[in-house]
Amino acid sequence: NAQPRPASENAIVFRTRLPIAPRTMRFGQPKVDDSGSFVLEALAGTVGSLAGIGIVGLTSQCGVEDLGCTILTVGAGGALGIVGATAGTSLMARRTGARRSLVGAALGATVGTGIGLGIHYLFNQSSDRNLGDQIVIPIFVLSQGTVSALGSRLVGRARRPR
């Protein structure tokens, strides 16, 4: 039933007519675009976002009443978080061999920042005090990293047909 055909120098393609394996199966090449690869990309994007936000957090020295400094710090943290999430996601996608898009990762990280702001707003909406950094930073790094990986996958899949 199976007829081996070399697809490249490193892989052998087997085409089968079995109902359990309707697609072409490749041996000798890593499987890409699986959920494990996506999790690694999202994790790398999260770590990159944390690094970007952490740099700003460690170098900023705003006073409690200095609103201008706080706004600049939050803006710089968001921007460096986007850069870090984009870099982390793109580097891991390249490492895993997944279809990727640098533009998609950057757009995803930007959308993730908006999602983080929305979640932050929902948590603060019914509270009389602001959330601390122990809650706010994980919200932003997780949303930036995860949505960056999602954006990279979506745009990468749309740009490169199978």
Side-chain angles (χ1 to χ4, degrees):
N1 279 339
Q3 301 169 10
R5 290 185 183 167
S8 72
E9 57 198 48
N10 294 333
I12 297 175
V13 177
F14 289 92
R15 300 192 190 278
T16 64
R17 293 189 179 138
L18 300 174
I20 57 170
R23 289 194 199 162
T24 301
M25 298 184 317
R26 294 182 181 261
F27 297 96
Q29 290 182 342
K31 182 180 177 187
V32 295
D33 289 335
D34 62 350
S35 61
S37 171
F38 177 79
V39 170
L40 289 174
E41 292 165 37
L43 183 61
T46 300
V47 170
S49 174
L50 181 61
I53 291 173
I55 289 169
V56 173
L58 291 175
T59 59
S60 133
Q61 298 177 358
C62 295
V64 176
E65 298 295 323
D66 192 356
L67 183 60
C69 179
T70 302
I71 290 172
L72 284 174
T73 299
V74 169
L80 276 181
I82 290 169
V83 170
T86 301
T89 297
S90 297
L91 291 172
M92 185 57 73
R94 176 178 290 161
R95 176 102 171 118
T96 61
R99 291 186 187 146
R100 63 193 174 281
S101 167
L102 184 65
V103 171
L107 289 173
T110 304
V111 170
T113 304
I115 291 171
L117 282 170
I119 293 170
H120 182 261
Y121 173 77
L122 288 175
F123 282 163
N124 276 337
Q125 174 179 327
S126 60
S127 176
D128 59 344
R129 58 180 215 204
N130 228 353
L131 298 174
D133 288 346
Q134 301 86 353
I135 297 173
V136 173
I137 291 174
I139 289 171
F140 278 92
V141 300
L142 287 170
S143 64
Q144 283 181 329
T146 304
V147 182
S148 177
L150 183 63
S152 175
R153 286 292 179 99
L154 290 175
V155 174
R157 190 172 290 152
R159 289 177 46 198
R160 295 184 197 124
R162 285 194 150 174

